[in-house]
Amino acid sequence: MVQLVGSLRKELADSLSTCKVLVVGAGGIGCELLKNLVLTGFKNIEVIDLDTIDVSNLNRQFLFQKKHVGKSKAQVAKESALEFCPTANITAYHDSIMNPDYNVEFFRKFVLVMNALDNRAARNHVNRMCLAADIPLIESGTAGYLGQVTVIKKGMTECYECQPKPSQKTFPGCTIRNTPSEPIHCIVWSKYLFNQLFGEEDADQEVSPDTADPEAEWNPEETAARATASEKDGDIKRVSTKDWARSTGYDSIKLFNKLFKDDIMYLLTMDKLWKKRKAPIPLDWQQLENSSCPQEDSTGSGLKDQQVLGVWGQCQLFQHSVETLRSQLQEKGEGAQLVWDKDDAPAMDFVTAAANLRMYIFSMNMKSRFDVKSMAGNIIPAIATTNAVIAGLIVLEGLKILSGQMESCCTIFLNKCPNLRKKLLIPCVLDPPSANCYVCASKPEVTVKLNIHKTTVLSLQDRILKERFGMVAPDVQIEDGKGTILISSEEGETEANNSKFLSDFGIRNCSRLQADDFLQDYTLLVNVLHTEELERDVEFEVVGEAPDKAPPPQANPDEVNSITNGNKESAQPSTSSKAKEDDLMVVDSDDEGASSSSAAATGATKRKHSDAETAETSIKRLRKDQSATPTDDDDDEDDIIELD
Amino acid sequence: MIEKEDPVISEEEAAQYDRQIRLWGLDAQKRLRGSRVLLAGSGGLGAEVAKNLILAGVKGLTLLDHEQVSEESCRAQFLVPVTAQGQNRAQASLERAQNLNPMVEVHADSDRIEDKPDDFFLQFDAVCLTGCSRDLMVRVDQLCSQHNIKVFCGDVYGYYGYMFCNLGQEHSYVEEKPKLVKPSENSNDGPEPKKAKVDPNETVMVKKMASFCSLKEALEVDWTGEKAKACLKRTPVDYFLLHVMLKFRTDKGRDPGPLSFAEDSHLLKQIRDDVLGAMGVSSDLLSDCFVSHCFSEMSPVCAVVGGVLGQEIVKALSQRDTPHRNFFFFDGRKGNGVVDYFGSK
């Protein structure tokens, strides 16, 4: 005789009350998920999130109120969820899931892990931990009106990393430095400028004219000579931007005239660039000041952020923000650095003003602070209803797993509009694991093309193993018969190797490296293919994939999947890094771009890389998808098998 | 709908609603900010819809429910405190509902909806009915559509749930489309000539119109004609399940209860045979297994249906984006969510 507790059979209801589950993330999806779990009858729940509550969370993260702003998301979510069911046993961790404390043993405590994350780095990591612990994982993501839920089980289904995700869009250095053609180029430039002036200087974030622009070729002999002289990186060798700015005492008018007049006049001398393009128009502070009207026009509604300032308004915003940032820097003391944060008003003002001035110079329509913030902060719009739907679907998949019906689990897409088959929620069969997945295959292996004379050990560690292959603390040995240790995860042991090149250790074409991550219980064999023919700005290529720097083709049939599963790809820096990133890997479960509040929570001091590039891709992809007609939807599902 | 003065969005609201204004725009947020909604039924689905509307930032929301809090009726109801057994469901939900967003005027009304005079409904821009009888829904739908009030109905039965909407014969709305750029024309956003016909950086708002039928028409589709029979294959079976559940509610004055499972499941099969028979379709359409999965309101199903329903109310009030016409059905066992139109075209 069937016995029901609510809607559930008694046996299932009983098992819910005794099993233990993990929720990774207490943001948009996490809040909804905790509510659904306790109301469905789950009694033992652990939740982890390193983020704190921000006012912009309150439109959807309904377990939080204004009085909670600044507090731990995990802790407040636990307290609010307990009010729905005081007999539940909820443990909250205000921490990063990538902290080594949460090892395979920790994961084995649970019958089920549910991700409610917003960044790829943490998703990759939890994927590996669940594979290592052999615990089923429910993965989810939302972006605006779109969402997806899927189930990952070792040996049965694809893992999170079986399908290569499109890499984030980056822009060639010369587009940023010499020939911006879209507002995003100017926004990326101004974020680089912020770091050059106030933050950590990075050779990959140069803002001055690039004289080695292959397209310029305005004086071939001279260019060649200059390129050799400057180590082929094309920078005009002079004191660094920061040293120069400092020498002027951060004089905003001097800065203005250098950036928006002198550098632009220099660009104009590279006349080949302007044969087919509209040439930029230098600005002069004095001239603008003299011709400005006191009541300058601005457009937009009453809200300050929605207004588009006139050019003199931008000048004043530039001046004002430079002055504020200068005093912030001074207060921090000698050698201090500022970290760019979209929610820090002067930092955001600075980027708004600098980007708009550059847009004006390059004849683009200027943008409101609101719009610049979207792009510069990589903000993915987020609403309560999408998160509610996705969190509901997560629990329904979880119930199938707990009632032993793993085979009926599926991946479900939430669309904005119904598809041709009238479906708004589209369940699809789960694919089996990919045989050559570099994570869940029995002996994971990859082939990487790089230049052994130019790739440093640090670059191998940070750019290739950590960023590209998602390791947290790799140990690397060379399969040279001697087992030479190239990288050790023990602090200090192999630091001396960092600046050396791979060739210095006898690594040649076809050398094999064994990379281990102890925490993730993961070993990856890396085949090295030496090449001298990588494109400019490209450090390495993974064989069988598009070059690391190239943006994915827009018509990728896997698009729905990639948007919703990786709505914040910004956890990985976009340009090459010479800094240690290990304490920067952030699990923040807000559905938006990396916030520095989360960086602060880990004690991380820097988040140096622009994530604006990702903003561009996400926004474009979102737009395309949101406006997708049912016909487009059908295209998207070409390789997806719909159930029913 | 009566055109209202543009309510002003304050800096405080702009900060709190930032992530959704970035999705649907300031104009949509303003319209939402000027709208009053009646939400009948404070069960699990009602709580989800209330949460979604209050978070989105409507002007006012009235919770109307005469029932008392009981364990069964509040299993999926997170607005009611556990200590509120025996209190009125709407009243008991008020405090938590209000805490979700102090900028929304939330009211509780413990009257029976059947006792409300016609005038009562006319103060709202949208009315959402959950847990109501078929006759009442038909009455309110007819009344509201005469006065240009948007009507929504919805319920959750175990793993199943549905939503219906009637936005009137002429619902106008806007939709954001990518801006088309004439190939000859240079874009303003850059000095380089663009080859693409779609400008990825610019969008335009397109005005559109959608037409809806009454709930009565939508429920009284004639399935006896040849054409209708041909459509049957492509019709979600959930539509017939809804008829069965509404009939059970009419007959028993309640929904199937887990404590009377044996009795109610027997009755459900009988009603299934009667209802489908009366509609002229085979009762095989709806196999027996629905019976053991349609009891009580299931929290995750309320979340899914309440999410879709809440978003449809937001879309209708903000007159932004194409509404789903005119039913949404969700089957939580399959994870399937279908939008389909029933009634006169």
Side-chain angles (χ1 to χ4, degrees):
Chain A
M1 182 60 218
V2 179
Q3 224 187 322
L4 293 183
V5 178
S7 307
L8 304 179
R9 288 179 184 246
K10 190 171 180 304
E11 308 83 73
L12 179 57
D14 287 347
S15 73
L16 296 190
S17 62
T18 54
C19 73
K20 187 179 270 199
V21 298
L22 175 65
V23 174
V24 189
I29 297 174
C31 282
E32 292 283 339
L33 183 55
L34 282 170
K35 169 206 67 191
N36 295 345
L37 288 171
V38 296
L39 294 180
T40 306
F42 286 84
K43 291 277 193 240
N44 303 292
I45 303 167
E46 302 203 354
V47 58
I48 179 165
D49 196 317
L50 60 67
D51 211 356
T52 54
I53 297 158
D54 182 80
V55 69
S56 65
N57 303 145
L58 302 180
N59 78 320
R60 61 196 186 283
Q61 300 178 16
F62 78 106
L63 300 178
F64 313 141
Q65 298 169 29
K66 212 158 213 173
K67 64 180 181 194
H68 298 128
V69 168
K71 292 187 175 168
S72 153
K73 283 190 177 180
Q75 189 58 37
V76 177
K78 166 194 159 165
E79 285 158 17
S80 299
L82 275 177
E83 288 183 9
F84 306 153
C85 177
T87 56
N89 175 18
I90 305 178
T91 307
Y93 302 92
H94 183 202
D95 204 350
S96 163
I97 191 63
M98 292 169 89
N99 182 322
D101 291 351
Y102 310 108
N103 53 18
V104 174
E105 213 52 28
F106 173 83
F107 277 82
R108 285 207 181 106
K109 289 195 297 193
F110 306 101
V111 293
L112 176 62
V113 175
M114 286 161 277
N115 269 354
L117 288 161
D118 70 342
N119 69 89
R120 202 189 278 175
R123 284 190 172 105
N124 287 344
H125 181 75
V126 176
N127 178 47
R128 290 160 193 219
M129 298 308 290
C130 288
L131 289 170
D134 197 9
I135 303 296
L137 168 65
I138 304 180
E139 178 56 83
S140 63
T142 63
Y145 299 111
L146 310 175
Q148 190 197 350
V149 173
T150 196
V151 174
I152 295 169
K153 177 72 171 70
K154 185 180 179 179
M156 261 184 84
T157 72
E158 278 188 340
C159 81
Y160 180 67
E161 295 167 272
C162 273
Q163 295 296 333
K165 306 280 182 291
S167 56
Q168 51 195 310
K169 185 167 184 179
T170 56
F171 303 99
C174 43
T175 303
I176 301 300
R177 294 166 64 180
N178 293 357
T179 52
S181 61
E182 288 177 30
I184 186 67
H185 302 147
C186 301
I187 291 168
V188 170
W189 179 86
S190 56
K191 283 181 73 181
Y192 286 178
L193 177 63
F194 178 93
N195 284 343
Q196 294 288 330
L197 291 176
F198 308 106
E200 190 184 2
E201 288 176 277
D202 182 336
D204 293 317
Q205 299 189 351
E206 261 306 327
V207 291
S208 57
D210 180 359
T211 57
D213 189 334
E215 204 195 324
E217 288 191 59
W218 46 302
N219 190 339
E221 291 142 41
E222 209 182 305
T223 308
R226 190 180 290 110
T228 329
S230 62
E231 301 279 334
K232 288 183 194 162
D233 66 356
D235 299 327
I236 311 163
K237 282 295 163 199
R238 54 184 177 195
V239 286
S240 80
T241 310
K242 186 184 259 173
D243 289 340
W244 179 81
R246 208 178 274 155
S247 74
T248 70
Y250 286 99
D251 182 320
S252 54
I253 296 172
K254 282 188 181 153
L255 276 176
F256 181 96
N257 282 331
K258 180 202 176 296
L259 295 165
F260 303 115
K261 189 172 83 180
D262 302 345
D263 280 357
I264 303 302
M265 303 222 308
Y266 190 90
L267 280 178
L268 285 171
T269 64
M270 299 162 78
D271 49 358
K272 276 240 167 61
L273 293 178
W274 318 113
K275 287 249 161 74
K276 284 182 185 164
R277 290 186 182 89
K278 189 165 177 203
I281 303 153
L283 295 176
D284 181 86
W285 181 276
Q286 218 55 54
Q287 226 173 322
L288 288 164
E289 189 170 29
N290 294 339
S291 61
S292 73
C293 339
Q295 295 270 305
E296 227 195 5
D297 288 348
S298 60
T299 56
S301 77
L303 288 169
K304 228 178 87 201
D305 262 24
Q306 299 277 349
Q307 293 168 358
V308 182
L309 300 176
V311 64
W312 179 242
Q314 306 287 3
C315 293
Q316 287 172 304
L317 187 64
F318 179 81
Q319 180 174 39
H320 189 249
S321 59
V322 167
E323 280 164 8
T324 315
L325 292 167
R326 174 183 57 194
S327 34
Q328 277 186 5
L329 203 55
Q330 275 166 358
E331 273 167 38
K332 286 193 141 189
E334 190 61 29
Q337 285 170 349
L338 300 181
V339 181
W340 191 80
D341 176 1
K342 68 180 187 313
D343 295 317
D344 179 42
M348 189 59 229
D349 286 343
F350 175 84
V351 164
T352 304
N356 271 311
L357 288 165
R358 197 163 165 90
M359 287 182 224
Y360 186 78
I361 287 166
F362 285 91
S363 307
M364 300 174 209
N365 291 333
M366 294 197 285
K367 295 204 165 283
S368 69
R369 190 179 185 278
F370 181 86
D371 287 340
V372 175
K373 188 172 176 178
S374 271
M375 293 172 150
N378 185 27
I379 298 175
I380 290 152
I383 51 175
T385 53
T386 305
N387 288 328
V389 172
I390 291 304
L393 296 176
I394 293 173
V395 173
L396 289 166
E397 290 306 306
L399 292 177
K400 290 184 200 167
I401 293 171
L402 292 171
S403 38
Q405 297 167 338
M406 184 77 80
E407 67 289 344
S408 60
C409 285
C410 47
T411 183
I412 306 173
F413 296 91
L414 167 63
N415 275 358
K416 188 182 182 191
C417 301
N419 68 5
L420 280 181
R421 302 180 63 195
K422 304 177 186 173
K423 290 189 184 184
L424 187 70
L425 287 164
I426 310 160
C428 303
V429 291
L430 292 166
D431 287 320
S434 158
N436 46 14
C437 173
Y438 66 79
V439 175
C440 72
S442 60
K443 290 205 185 317
E445 190 170 335
V446 287
T447 302
V448 178
K449 262 197 223 174
L450 48 76
N451 186 330
I452 54 168
H453 305 298
K454 284 188 176 172
T455 307
T456 62
V457 172
L458 189 67
S459 185
L460 170 72
Q461 174 186 289
D462 288 346
R463 288 276 289 142
I464 301 179
L465 297 175
K466 287 187 181 175
E467 283 174 29
R468 182 59 188 77
F469 294 115
M471 291 187 156
V472 174
D475 290 278
V476 179
Q477 65 176 39
I478 308 169
E479 295 205 334
D480 54 1
K482 294 178 284 187
T484 306
I485 307 282
L486 193 64
I487 298 171
S488 164
S489 57
E490 291 290 322
E491 208 169 321
E493 275 190 7
T494 50
E495 224 131 82
N497 295 352
N498 280 353
S499 56
K500 294 186 184 155
F501 296 105
L502 299 188
S503 54
D504 296 340
F505 296 88
I507 294 172
R508 291 170 290 123
N509 189 32
C510 296
S511 284
R512 287 151 75 88
L513 309 176
Q514 185 184 310
D516 286 289
D517 189 294
F518 181 74
L519 177 61
Q520 295 175 342
D521 194 12
Y522 170 53
T523 301
L524 178 66
L525 198 65
V526 181
N527 297 296
V528 175
L529 274 190
H530 172 66
T531 178
E532 312 243 330
E533 284 160 4
L534 290 170
E535 273 178 57
R536 194 166 185 256
D537 296 340
V538 174
E539 270 190 272
F540 68 93
E541 268 178 41
V542 179
V543 174
E545 278 175 28
D548 197 53
K549 285 268 178 174
Q554 289 287 306
N556 187 343
D558 209 34
E559 199 155 56
V560 186
N561 195 350
S562 43
I563 297 170
T564 49
N565 253 352
N567 73 35
K568 199 199 77 182
E569 324 284 54
S570 56
Q572 299 180 357
S574 55
T575 49
S576 67
S577 154
K578 305 213 163 45
K580 290 200 143 209
E581 297 278 343
D582 24 349
D583 58 350
L584 273 190
M585 297 304 198
V586 177
V587 187
D588 58 357
S589 53
D590 195 0
D591 308 338
E592 63 186 62
S595 63
S596 71
S597 58
S598 45
T602 45
T605 49
K606 54 207 165 174
R607 172 169 279 277
K608 51 183 287 194
H609 290 286
S610 150
D611 37 33
E613 293 88 334
T614 17
E616 173 71 348
T617 27
S618 329
I619 288 164
K620 266 190 193 162
R621 273 189 270 138
L622 278 174
R623 240 184 225 143
K624 176 179 183 289
D625 229 79
Q626 280 168 10
S627 57
T629 60
T631 332
D632 292 334
D633 281 348
D634 229 39
D635 289 343
D636 282 345
E637 287 151 27
D638 270 353
D639 66 344
I640 294 167
I641 304 162
E642 264 185 58
L643 289 170
D644 198 20
Chain B
M1 204 185 304
I2 308 150
E3 286 296 325
K4 289 178 214 62
E5 291 171 57
D6 263 2
V8 179
I9 298 281
S10 68
E11 297 283 347
E12 185 193 10
E13 287 170 288
Q16 181 168 323
Y17 301 135
D18 184 87
R19 294 304 183 270
Q20 64 200 43
I21 291 173
R22 287 178 198 277
L23 189 63
W24 54 57
L26 207 55
D27 286 343
Q29 188 67 43
K30 280 181 190 167
R31 284 194 205 93
L32 206 52
R33 189 73 188 87
S35 305
R36 294 184 186 275
V37 183
L38 172 67
L39 175 58
S42 299
L45 179 62
E48 286 288 340
V49 173
K51 174 203 68 189
N52 293 334
L53 293 178
I54 293 168
L55 291 173
V58 293
K59 181 166 189 61
L61 180 72
T62 300
L63 306 172
L64 175 65
D65 193 319
H66 69 278
E67 276 189 57
Q68 287 181 349
V69 174
S70 69
E71 192 192 348
E72 204 44 57
S73 80
C74 288
R75 196 174 279 284
Q77 225 284 23
F78 55 93
L79 295 176
V80 170
V82 283
T83 52
Q85 294 286 325
Q87 293 177 30
N88 173 269
R89 288 204 301 188
Q91 305 281 9
S93 304
L94 184 61
E95 188 184 338
R96 285 190 187 168
Q98 183 66 72
N99 282 342
L100 293 170
N101 186 353
M103 296 192 280
V104 176
E105 298 165 21
V106 188
H107 305 280
D109 187 329
S110 54
D111 290 352
R112 288 181 72 90
I113 186 169
E114 286 83 356
D115 300 341
K116 288 290 186 188
D118 287 359
D119 276 2
F120 171 77
F121 296 94
L122 306 186
Q123 55 182 307
F124 302 100
D125 301 294
V127 169
C128 177
L129 308 173
T130 68
C132 294
S133 72
R134 175 172 169 160
D135 289 349
L136 181 98
M137 292 194 285
V138 167
R139 179 201 136 200
V140 174
D141 176 62
Q142 260 163 355
L143 169 71
C144 289
S145 46
Q146 282 165 18
H147 293 88
N148 263 324
I149 298 167
K150 312 293 179 188
V151 182
F152 298 84
C153 304
D155 273 303
V156 167
Y157 307 100
Y159 284 79
Y160 307 100
Y162 86 100
M163 175 212 80
F164 162 82
C165 66
N166 174 5
L167 307 186
Q169 290 186 341
E170 293 185 350
H171 174 69
S172 58
Y173 61 96
V174 295
E175 199 169 34
E176 195 173 12
K177 293 276 185 192
K179 189 178 179 181
L180 294 175
V181 185
K182 285 174 196 156
S184 57
E185 193 181 270
N186 275 0
S187 157
N188 281 331
D189 265 347
E192 279 183 308
K194 289 254 163 59
K195 283 171 202 153
K197 287 181 182 166
V198 173
D199 183 340
N201 292 310
E202 298 283 335
T203 55
V204 286
M205 287 300 181
V206 183
K207 280 188 183 165
K208 294 198 167 180
M209 185 89 83
S211 177
F212 291 80
C213 71
S214 70
L215 178 63
K216 192 168 187 292
E217 285 176 273
L219 290 176
E220 291 178 358
V221 174
D222 179 9
W223 295 96
T224 52
E226 281 308 311
K227 215 175 157 191
K229 282 210 166 98
C231 284
L232 210 52
K233 246 187 192 162
R234 281 178 282 123
T235 301
V237 60
D238 312 72
Y239 175 79
F240 299 101
L241 174 64
L242 171 63
H243 277 274
V244 174
M245 301 313 293
L246 288 177
K247 185 70 165 58
F248 187 104
R249 190 178 278 172
T250 302
D251 289 358
K252 301 287 283 184
R254 61 169 178 87
D255 287 332
L259 298 176
S260 49
F261 178 79
E263 182 196 328
D264 286 355
S265 50
H266 179 73
L267 189 57
L268 278 166
K269 284 181 208 166
Q270 204 180 317
I271 291 177
R272 186 254 330 256
D273 295 344
D274 295 350
V275 165
L276 271 60
M279 292 171 85
V281 297
S282 160
S283 58
D284 296 344
L285 267 180
L286 199 54
S287 72
D288 279 358
C289 80
F290 86 93
V291 168
S292 51
H293 296 98
C294 68
F295 280 72
S296 193
E297 280 185 302
M298 192 168 164
S299 158
V301 178
C302 291
V304 173
V305 177
V308 173
L309 176 48
Q311 194 55 42
E312 287 309 295
I313 298 175
V314 167
K315 276 157 68 173
L317 293 173
S318 61
Q319 296 175 274
R320 168 88 203 233
D321 292 329
T322 311
H324 299 329
R325 276 171 90 234
N326 55 353
F327 280 90
F328 166 75
F329 296 106
F330 179 63
D331 178 343
R333 296 177 69 217
K334 294 177 180 161
N336 202 16
V338 184
V339 172
D340 209 348
Y341 188 83
F342 292 87
S344 62
K345 301 279 171 178

